[in-house]
Amino acid sequence: MFDQLDSVMLHYEDIQRELASPDIASNQKRFRSLMKEQSDLAPLVAAYGEYRDCRQAAEDSLQMLEEESDEEMRELAKEELAESRKRIGELEEQIKILLLPKDPNDDKNVIVEIRAGAGGDEAALFAAEIYRMYVHYAEGRGWKSEILDFEEIGIGGMKSVSFMIRGQGAYSRMKYESGVHRVQRVPATESGGRIHTSTITVAVIPEVDDDIVIDIPEKDVRIDVMRASGNGGQCVNTTDSAVRLTHYPTGIVIYSQTEKSQLQNKAKAWALLRSKLYDLEMQKRHDEEADLRRSQIGTGDRSEKIRTYNFPQGRVTDHRIKLTLYKIDAIMNGDLDEILDSLTAADQAAKLLKMNGEY
């Protein structure tokens, strides 16, 4: 591990030297790449620098204990040694986490798809509430959200909704939300006061960068244009602005109608198709790497029931990590950090166990 860290330190110094070179200004793509790499490595470099300082402080304290006869000075050296050793242990764990292989998608924007499952209108109402929960969470982090497509029902619910969240590290947080979400409550339409159980599914897909090549032959896609349906202002419902793409090999159908322009809707539809095909490829790779799937929390099987929202008891339970919180109102208003922090910690712990087993 420490050979690896020394190599990282040398590489970090090389990055700093190249960034200080006057020639770098003429290559903006390389400059941005180096700045991102420097930013990614900075926490590890800082932790390792502090670790080396603590190791040196511990050695100095040990030497003082060997050479010093004054009891007061010896006690001071013992205290400094204990503090250094404690900090060394903390930094070792921190460094191990920072050395874990980073998901290449973590910094990307995400496309989130929510679909009503079992439960009819109640599931559609819950789908709309979960959509608003994510929008509030994104706003709280300073991220932007944008609807790509949706299908409403008359009572304020959504059979389905697809939307983009743009923000630094969006996928690193939102990836844990993929799966089946279950709600238990008394529906507004229930006269007998009985608790019903409904479900929705959430899929979180990383946005595909322009430099990632996704080959989509034209013959594999049918393009249909039509008038948009549902709520819309002037031009939206009166021109053939909506676009539907059908990808024959996978059966994926993309429908985009939120923009006034057919060209804008077509661009959105193609971007969503590229991301879905990229996601299918990533899922296929995960399936082939069974060990990796088992070491990850919440980024695998999307048919897995991951969370229950029980309104009568005011609780939310994440079944993957056995976490129950009694603050359902706050969570439904976008207060997801405690859940997502716990999922991130559990994911890191599982990967650390795997990594330690390989050393």
Side-chain angles (χ1 to χ4, degrees):
M1 184 173 83
F2 293 105
D3 289 343
Q4 185 180 350
L5 284 167
D6 288 331
S7 298
V8 168
M9 295 292 278
L10 291 171
H11 181 56
Y12 188 77
E13 290 168 6
D14 289 341
I15 291 171
Q16 288 184 308
R17 275 194 292 272
E18 190 170 349
L19 282 171
S21 166
D23 297 335
I24 195 67
S26 61
N27 188 343
Q28 283 300 302
K29 186 175 179 182
R30 176 67 176 162
F31 175 75
R32 286 193 296 271
S33 173
L34 288 171
M35 287 296 291
K36 183 180 183 308
E37 194 172 4
Q38 182 189 47
S39 175
D40 290 344
L41 289 176
L44 178 59
V45 168
Y48 187 45
E50 186 183 352
Y51 174 84
R52 291 195 300 190
D53 291 344
C54 286
R55 286 292 298 262
Q56 185 61 53
E59 288 176 16
D60 292 345
S61 297
L62 280 171
Q63 186 174 351
M64 183 181 290
L65 282 171
E66 289 176 5
E67 298 173 355
E68 188 62 61
S69 57
D70 182 80
E71 198 56 40
E72 193 173 325
M73 292 299 292
R74 285 178 62 81
E75 282 301 316
L76 184 61
K78 285 178 185 177
E79 287 178 16
E80 289 179 352
L81 179 60
E83 287 177 9
S84 295
R85 283 177 171 169
K86 180 185 176 186
R87 185 59 182 149
I88 285 168
E90 293 169 349
L91 286 166
E92 282 179 349
E93 290 306 306
Q94 184 180 336
I95 287 167
K96 284 179 184 178
I97 289 172
L98 289 168
L99 279 173
L100 287 172
K102 190 176 179 183
D103 187 329
N105 294 316
D106 272 354
D107 289 333
K108 293 181 179 176
N109 302 324
V110 295
I111 295 163
V112 183
E113 293 185 334
I114 303 172
R115 295 189 180 277
D121 287 351
E122 170 66 5
L125 287 167
F126 185 57
E129 290 175 61
I130 291 297
Y131 162 69
R132 287 191 288 271
M133 177 183 79
Y134 291 143
V135 169
H136 289 151
Y137 179 68
E139 288 171 350
R141 296 187 73 88
W143 297 341
K144 303 295 183 185
S145 62
E146 172 192 6
I147 282 192
L148 302 175
D149 186 30
F150 61 94
E151 184 180 357
E152 292 180 304
I153 65 171
I155 57 174
M158 289 177 163
K159 282 188 178 180
S160 64
V161 57
S162 300
F163 58 102
M164 173 84 76
I165 294 179
R166 301 181 188 277
Q168 183 68 29
Y171 185 76
S172 70
R173 302 292 285 176
M174 293 297 297
K175 63 184 176 183
Y176 298 110
E177 294 302 293
S178 285
V180 176
H181 296 238
R182 182 175 68 173
V183 60
Q184 295 174 326
R185 64 183 175 188
V186 180
T189 54
E190 170 58 54
S191 59
R194 291 172 297 179
I195 295 174
H196 286 226
T197 297
S198 304
T199 62
I200 65 164
T201 58
V202 175
V204 178
I205 303 168
E207 184 186 27
V208 183
D209 293 334
D210 290 336
D211 56 357
I212 294 177
V213 178
I214 306 292
D215 184 30
I216 310 176
E218 286 186 21
K219 64 180 178 60
D220 287 350
V221 180
R222 189 180 79 212
I223 303 174
D224 297 306
V225 295
M226 62 206 73
R227 291 190 180 182
S229 60
N231 296 326
Q234 189 176 7
C235 298
V236 173
N237 293 336
T238 57
T239 61
D240 291 337
S241 59
V243 174
R244 183 174 64 213
L245 303 181
T246 304
H247 187 248
Y248 294 122
T250 61
I252 292 173
V253 177
I254 306 294
Y255 185 68
S256 180
Q257 65 166 4
T258 56
E259 302 296 332
K260 292 182 179 180
S261 158
Q262 184 187 119
L263 285 175
Q264 290 174 313
N265 280 321
K266 189 178 287 187
K268 271 190 176 182
W270 276 104
L272 183 52
L273 178 59
R274 291 179 72 246
S275 290
K276 283 202 169 191
L277 292 176
Y278 175 73
D279 184 56
L280 278 178
E281 180 60 29
M282 296 300 294
Q283 289 290 312
K284 181 181 173 185
R285 290 182 194 177
H286 283 180
D287 288 341
E288 291 168 355
E289 299 167 6
D291 251 9
L292 176 62
R293 280 281 295 272
R294 280 193 290 271
S295 73
Q296 292 180 325
I297 303 287
T299 56
D301 188 357
R302 287 177 184 165
S303 64
E304 176 189 8
K305 182 184 72 180
I306 64 167
R307 196 173 299 150
T308 295
Y309 304 74
N310 187 300
F311 279 79
Q313 296 177 15
R315 67 172 170 85
V316 175
T317 298
D318 196 288
H319 304 290
R320 295 163 292 182
I321 53 174
K322 308 296 189 291
L323 173 69
T324 296
L325 300 174
Y326 289 89
K327 56 174 191 177
I328 196 167
D329 290 341
I331 288 168
M332 295 306 295
N333 279 320
D335 185 6
L336 290 170
D337 277 330
E338 187 171 355
I339 294 175
L340 298 182
D341 287 344
S342 299
L343 285 163
T344 301
D347 195 13
Q348 290 172 343
K351 289 174 182 173
L352 277 174
L353 279 173
K354 188 173 182 292
M355 186 175 77
N356 290 336
E358 291 173 352
Y359 278 131

